[in-house]
Amino acid sequence: TYTVTLAAELADVFGQQLGEDATRTFDVGSADPQLRGLLGEFISTDPAAEHGTVSITTINHDAVRVRAWAVTPLDYTAFRDYLDRMSRDEDATAPEWSAVLDTEIEIDGSEDRWIETAIDLTDAFNASSGQIVVRVDSLLDFDDDDRRYWDNRPTVAWVQNTTLGIDAIVDTKQLVIITTDLATGEPIGGVPVELIGDGRVATTDDHGLARLDLGSKG
């Protein structure tokens, strides 16, 4: 509930004053629940942090459900397919990936205030190769014709926990790979990088560089 007072001295463009205080009270009610989720389809956790986490932002949620599955780069196509199916049906079944986390996370904060919550994924990463698909769901149910439904849709991202940075630069003839330490920016040599679908492996040199000539395969 808000009370607004306009002072008696308030003047219009002609210099005419209001003359006496005017007070109005109005009630906006409680904020609708909202879940703002994982930013981007691919997330790398902070390499300098003690624990690998991702964050969500919510208002008027007491808890959320968090699930995670172990994946490898070979699962990329299945991941893209899962995102596509979820865009049409939030209850779309996840591929037969190995489940590494299924829990409810409590939201600690005041009502009617936006709250950022960090989700610790340490256990999920320990049960995987360091790459997981994470899904966060609201525990509230809304019909799809309720406008609040669209503000509380599940959010999904591919999350990796690593200190190895990989950049790939490509033209029509060659793929250039650069491997670095995410924490320091220093190049890392001796890293084998496989071109999936092609089968060839290139190992980066002391400057963190490797090159692969592109063939006719997609």
Side-chain angles (χ1 to χ4, degrees), residues 121-147:
L121 299 172
T122 300
D123 291 342
F125 285 128
N126 288 341
S128 70
S129 63
Q131 300 195 56
I132 57 178
V133 170
V134 177
R135 172 171 172 157
V136 181
D137 286 81
S138 166
L139 296 179
L140 305 175
D141 289 326
F142 300 104
D143 294 331
D144 57 12
D145 59 354
D146 186 330
R147 61 184 176 83

Side-chain angles (χ1 to χ4, degrees), residues 152-171:
N152 295 277
R153 293 263 296 162
T155 179
V156 178
W158 184 303
V159 185
Q160 64 175 353
N161 185 40
T162 181
T163 59
L164 180 67
I166 303 176
D167 291 283
I169 303 168
V170 65
D171 59 20

Side-chain angles (χ1 to χ4, degrees), residues 86-196:
M86 270 197 60
S87 67
R88 302 188 300 272
D89 177 13
E90 70 172 44
D91 295 322
T93 304
E96 294 183 358
W97 299 320
S98 175
V100 291
L101 183 67
D102 189 348
T103 189
E104 291 185 7
I105 303 293
E106 292 188 0
I107 306 298
D108 184 18
S110 304
E111 292 184 4
D112 292 327
R113 294 290 185 269
W114 284 103
I115 301 164
E116 181 177 2
T117 301
I119 300 171
D120 190 338
L121 299 172
T122 300
D123 291 342
F125 285 128
N126 288 341
S128 70
S129 63
Q131 300 195 56
I132 57 178
V133 170
V134 177
R135 172 171 172 157
V136 181
D137 286 81
S138 166
L139 296 179
L140 305 175
D141 289 326
F142 300 104
D143 294 331
D144 57 12
D145 59 354
D146 186 330
R147 61 184 176 83
R148 293 174 298 176
Y149 168 84
W150 300 103
D151 290 328
N152 295 277
R153 293 263 296 162
T155 179
V156 178
W158 184 303
V159 185
Q160 64 175 353
N161 185 40
T162 181
T163 59
L164 180 67
I166 303 176
D167 291 283
I169 303 168
V170 65
D171 59 20
T172 58
K173 296 181 179 179
Q174 196 175 63
L175 173 67
V176 179
I177 300 153
I178 307 169
T179 53
T180 57
D181 185 324
L182 286 176
T184 65
E186 293 295 322
I188 297 179
V191 178
V193 182
E194 179 185 354
L195 191 60
I196 295 176

Side-chain angles (χ1 to χ4, degrees), residues 8 46 48 65 184 217:
D46 183 353
R65 182 185 182 187
T184 65
K217 294 184 178 181

